[in-house]
Amino acid sequence: MKAMWSAASGMKNLQLKIDTISNNLANVNTTGFKNQRVEFKDIMYERLDSSEKLVDEGRPVPVEIGHGVMVSATLRNFTTGNLQQTETPTDLAINGDHFFKVIDNNGNTRYTKDGSFKIASTEAGAQLVTSDGYYVQGVDGNLVLGENVSELSVDSQGFVRVKREGSQDYEDIGQLSLSKFVNPSGLEAVGKNLYRETDASGQAIEGIQEGDKTEVWQGFVENSNVQIVDEMINLITAERAYEINSKSIQTADRMLEIANNLKR
């Protein structure tokens, strides 16, 4: 019975939607997290022989029976979350479409919206790193702050300056490497608030271009853009759809039972 297979595909893929919503809700307090949504598409159709007998204004009208649903994509929403003030100098938030560029422990380039950075002591001197110790990149490579840093300043365009102990003057360090993508939804999430460039996302566009409205806010972090009320509504809707599909299977089962019990 086609109804059983169609309803089963609905239940299977609605489970994926519920899993995605659950992940969104679990990350409601994750800095820089971007919520996901699941997109569906219908499966192939079967055209019945009786379609030739139906006519609409002199033309045959096809009678087609679908075979259910499947997931076409999970898309990530990159709208900017609320910017929360922390007053911590190493906390940075991007108000715009750009990403921070970092290098992980394997030397791979990654991108993130999580600007809760730290200062780590290295052989090259103090450097700006992520919570996992990945080096935050400047336009010219790692941002090496040097020794005896008493004050850190980052302006809206990402230019970094430091003031050292015993000095009242600021020293220019460099500029944060900020990147954006033609299709950010095509980025691959690799965990730890990091994304990887893919063919779908396109190559990174480096720097703030003319016309971009991106600004860097020092002393702020970007909160998750998950809206709890919206996610709860989506969860209830998915649950009801799952229930309806299960009812379809039960109905098809009862119909088969009736047909099986027919006596000649």
Side-chain angles (χ1 to χ4, degrees), residues 9-24:
S9 71
M11 294 178 68
K12 177 181 177 181
N13 289 282
L14 283 167
Q15 180 63 58
L16 178 60
K17 181 174 183 178
I18 292 174
D19 292 342
T20 302
I21 295 171
S22 298
N23 183 63
N24 290 341

PDB file of all heavy atoms in Angstrom, residues 9-24:
ATOM      1  N   SER A   9       7.915   7.554   5.086  1.00  0.00           N
ATOM      2  CA  SER A   9       8.943   8.519   4.686  1.00  0.00           C
ATOM      3  C   SER A   9       8.733   9.845   5.399  1.00  0.00           C
ATOM      4  O   SER A   9       9.689  10.525   5.775  1.00  0.00           O
ATOM      5  CB  SER A   9       8.928   8.711   3.167  1.00  0.00           C
ATOM      6  OG  SER A   9       7.780   9.429   2.746  1.00  0.00           O
ATOM      7  N   GLY A  10       7.446  10.216   5.602  1.00  0.00           N
ATOM      8  CA  GLY A  10       7.151  11.441   6.336  1.00  0.00           C
ATOM      9  C   GLY A  10       7.627  11.362   7.773  1.00  0.00           C
ATOM     10  O   GLY A  10       8.243  12.302   8.295  1.00  0.00           O
ATOM     11  N   MET A  11       7.372  10.241   8.435  1.00  0.00           N
ATOM     12  CA  MET A  11       7.804  10.078   9.819  1.00  0.00           C
ATOM     13  C   MET A  11       9.323  10.089   9.940  1.00  0.00           C
ATOM     14  O   MET A  11       9.892  10.710  10.851  1.00  0.00           O
ATOM     15  CB  MET A  11       7.244   8.765  10.383  1.00  0.00           C
ATOM     16  CG  MET A  11       5.724   8.742  10.505  1.00  0.00           C
ATOM     17  SD  MET A  11       5.081   7.174  11.119  1.00  0.00           S
ATOM     18  CE  MET A  11       5.681   7.201  12.806  1.00  0.00           C
ATOM     19  N   LYS A  12       9.995   9.408   9.019  1.00  0.00           N
ATOM     20  CA  LYS A  12      11.454   9.339   9.051  1.00  0.00           C
ATOM     21  C   LYS A  12      12.082  10.725   8.905  1.00  0.00           C
ATOM     22  O   LYS A  12      13.014  11.086   9.645  1.00  0.00           O
ATOM     23  CB  LYS A  12      11.951   8.416   7.943  1.00  0.00           C
ATOM     24  CG  LYS A  12      13.464   8.317   7.846  1.00  0.00           C
ATOM     25  CD  LYS A  12      13.887   7.410   6.705  1.00  0.00           C
ATOM     26  CE  LYS A  12      15.403   7.370   6.578  1.00  0.00           C
ATOM     27  NZ  LYS A  12      15.830   6.500   5.444  1.00  0.00           N
ATOM     28  N   ASN A  13      11.585  11.509   7.969  1.00  0.00           N
ATOM     29  CA  ASN A  13      12.189  12.814   7.711  1.00  0.00           C
ATOM     30  C   ASN A  13      11.743  13.867   8.708  1.00  0.00           C
ATOM     31  O   ASN A  13      12.480  14.822   8.979  1.00  0.00           O
ATOM     32  CB  ASN A  13      11.864  13.250   6.281  1.00  0.00           C
ATOM     33  CG  ASN A  13      12.609  12.436   5.242  1.00  0.00           C
ATOM     34  OD1 ASN A  13      13.786  12.642   5.000  1.00  0.00           O
ATOM     35  ND2 ASN A  13      11.918  11.478   4.630  1.00  0.00           N
ATOM     36  N   LEU A  14      10.542  13.716   9.276  1.00  0.00           N
ATOM     37  CA  LEU A  14      10.133  14.616  10.348  1.00  0.00           C
ATOM     38  C   LEU A  14      10.969  14.397  11.592  1.00  0.00           C
ATOM     39  O   LEU A  14      11.194  15.328  12.369  1.00  0.00           O
ATOM     40  CB  LEU A  14       8.647  14.420  10.656  1.00  0.00           C
ATOM     41  CG  LEU A  14       7.684  15.066   9.661  1.00  0.00           C
ATOM     42  CD1 LEU A  14       6.267  14.554   9.868  1.00  0.00           C
ATOM     43  CD2 LEU A  14       7.724  16.584   9.767  1.00  0.00           C
ATOM     44  N   GLN A  15      11.434  13.177  11.782  1.00  0.00           N
ATOM     45  CA  GLN A  15      12.344  12.914  12.906  1.00  0.00           C
ATOM     46  C   GLN A  15      13.625  13.724  12.752  1.00  0.00           C
ATOM     47  O   GLN A  15      14.152  14.265  13.728  1.00  0.00           O
ATOM     48  CB  GLN A  15      12.665  11.425  12.977  1.00  0.00           C
ATOM     49  CG  GLN A  15      13.614  11.054  14.111  1.00  0.00           C
ATOM     50  CD  GLN A  15      13.025  11.344  15.470  1.00  0.00           C
ATOM     51  OE1 GLN A  15      11.972  10.827  15.814  1.00  0.00           O
ATOM     52  NE2 GLN A  15      13.707  12.188  16.247  1.00  0.00           N
ATOM     53  N   LEU A  16      14.123  13.843  11.501  1.00  0.00           N
ATOM     54  CA  LEU A  16      15.314  14.658  11.251  1.00  0.00           C
ATOM     55  C   LEU A  16      15.030  16.124  11.565  1.00  0.00           C
ATOM     56  O   LEU A  16      15.883  16.829  12.123  1.00  0.00           O
ATOM     57  CB  LEU A  16      15.760  14.500   9.794  1.00  0.00           C
ATOM     58  CG  LEU A  16      16.968  15.347   9.369  1.00  0.00           C
ATOM     59  CD1 LEU A  16      18.192  15.001  10.208  1.00  0.00           C
ATOM     60  CD2 LEU A  16      17.282  15.135   7.891  1.00  0.00           C
ATOM     61  N   LYS A  17      13.819  16.589  11.236  1.00  0.00           N
ATOM     62  CA  LYS A  17      13.458  17.979  11.548  1.00  0.00           C
ATOM     63  C   LYS A  17      13.433  18.197  13.051  1.00  0.00           C
ATOM     64  O   LYS A  17      13.931  19.216  13.549  1.00  0.00           O
ATOM     65  CB  LYS A  17      12.102  18.319  10.938  1.00  0.00           C
ATOM     66  CG  LYS A  17      11.666  19.760  11.204  1.00  0.00           C
ATOM     67  CD  LYS A  17      10.392  20.127  10.475  1.00  0.00           C
ATOM     68  CE  LYS A  17      10.037  21.589  10.720  1.00  0.00           C
ATOM     69  NZ  LYS A  17       8.817  22.003   9.986  1.00  0.00           N
ATOM     70  N   ILE A  18      12.871  17.246  13.796  1.00  0.00           N
ATOM     71  CA  ILE A  18      12.822  17.365  15.251  1.00  0.00           C
ATOM     72  C   ILE A  18      14.241  17.341  15.826  1.00  0.00           C
ATOM     73  O   ILE A  18      14.561  18.088  16.765  1.00  0.00           O
ATOM     74  CB  ILE A  18      11.953  16.246  15.845  1.00  0.00           C
ATOM     75  CG1 ILE A  18      10.484  16.459  15.453  1.00  0.00           C
ATOM     76  CG2 ILE A  18      12.084  16.197  17.364  1.00  0.00           C
ATOM     77  CD1 ILE A  18       9.561  15.343  15.856  1.00  0.00           C
ATOM     78  N   ASP A  19      15.112  16.505  15.262  1.00  0.00           N
ATOM     79  CA  ASP A  19      16.508  16.470  15.707  1.00  0.00           C
ATOM     80  C   ASP A  19      17.184  17.820  15.489  1.00  0.00           C
ATOM     81  O   ASP A  19      17.956  18.292  16.335  1.00  0.00           O
ATOM     82  CB  ASP A  19      17.275  15.382  14.957  1.00  0.00           C
ATOM     83  CG  ASP A  19      16.814  13.979  15.323  1.00  0.00           C
ATOM     84  OD1 ASP A  19      16.156  13.828  16.374  1.00  0.00           O
ATOM     85  OD2 ASP A  19      17.090  13.047  14.543  1.00  0.00           O
ATOM     86  N   THR A  20      16.899  18.451  14.334  1.00  0.00           N
ATOM     87  CA  THR A  20      17.495  19.755  14.021  1.00  0.00           C
ATOM     88  C   THR A  20      16.989  20.830  14.973  1.00  0.00           C
ATOM     89  O   THR A  20      17.765  21.662  15.463  1.00  0.00           O
ATOM     90  CB  THR A  20      17.170  20.144  12.570  1.00  0.00           C
ATOM     91  OG1 THR A  20      17.664  19.138  11.681  1.00  0.00           O
ATOM     92  CG2 THR A  20      17.808  21.472  12.207  1.00  0.00           C
ATOM     93  N   ILE A  21      15.683  20.820  15.248  1.00  0.00           N
ATOM     94  CA  ILE A  21      15.119  21.794  16.187  1.00  0.00           C
ATOM     95  C   ILE A  21      15.713  21.591  17.577  1.00  0.00           C
ATOM     96  O   ILE A  21      16.034  22.558  18.282  1.00  0.00           O
ATOM     97  CB  ILE A  21      13.582  21.664  16.229  1.00  0.00           C
ATOM     98  CG1 ILE A  21      12.982  22.050  14.873  1.00  0.00           C
ATOM     99  CG2 ILE A  21      12.992  22.548  17.325  1.00  0.00           C
ATOM    100  CD1 ILE A  21      11.494  21.760  14.747  1.00  0.00           C
ATOM    101  N   SER A  22      15.868  20.338  17.987  1.00  0.00           N
ATOM    102  CA  SER A  22      16.451  20.040  19.293  1.00  0.00           C
ATOM    103  C   SER A  22      17.875  20.568  19.384  1.00  0.00           C
ATOM    104  O   SER A  22      18.290  21.095  20.427  1.00  0.00           O
ATOM    105  CB  SER A  22      16.439  18.530  19.542  1.00  0.00           C
ATOM    106  OG  SER A  22      15.120  18.032  19.569  1.00  0.00           O
ATOM    107  N   ASN A  23      18.639  20.442  18.296  1.00  0.00           N
ATOM    108  CA  ASN A  23      20.003  20.974  18.278  1.00  0.00           C
ATOM    109  C   ASN A  23      19.994  22.492  18.391  1.00  0.00           C
ATOM    110  O   ASN A  23      20.840  23.078  19.083  1.00  0.00           O
ATOM    111  CB  ASN A  23      20.714  20.542  17.001  1.00  0.00           C
ATOM    112  CG  ASN A  23      22.155  21.010  16.958  1.00  0.00           C
ATOM    113  OD1 ASN A  23      22.971  20.625  17.788  1.00  0.00           O
ATOM    114  ND2 ASN A  23      22.475  21.876  15.999  1.00  0.00           N
ATOM    115  N   ASN A  24      19.046  23.139  17.717  1.00  0.00           N
ATOM    116  CA  ASN A  24      18.918  24.598  17.835  1.00  0.00           C
ATOM    117  C   ASN A  24      18.656  25.003  19.280  1.00  0.00           C
ATOM    118  O   ASN A  24      19.291  25.926  19.810  1.00  0.00           O
ATOM    119  CB  ASN A  24      17.794  25.112  16.935  1.00  0.00           C
ATOM    120  CG  ASN A  24      18.118  25.022  15.459  1.00  0.00           C
ATOM    121  OD1 ASN A  24      19.280  24.918  15.074  1.00  0.00           O
ATOM    122  ND2 ASN A  24      17.109  25.053  14.625  1.00  0.00           N
TER     123      ASN A  24
END
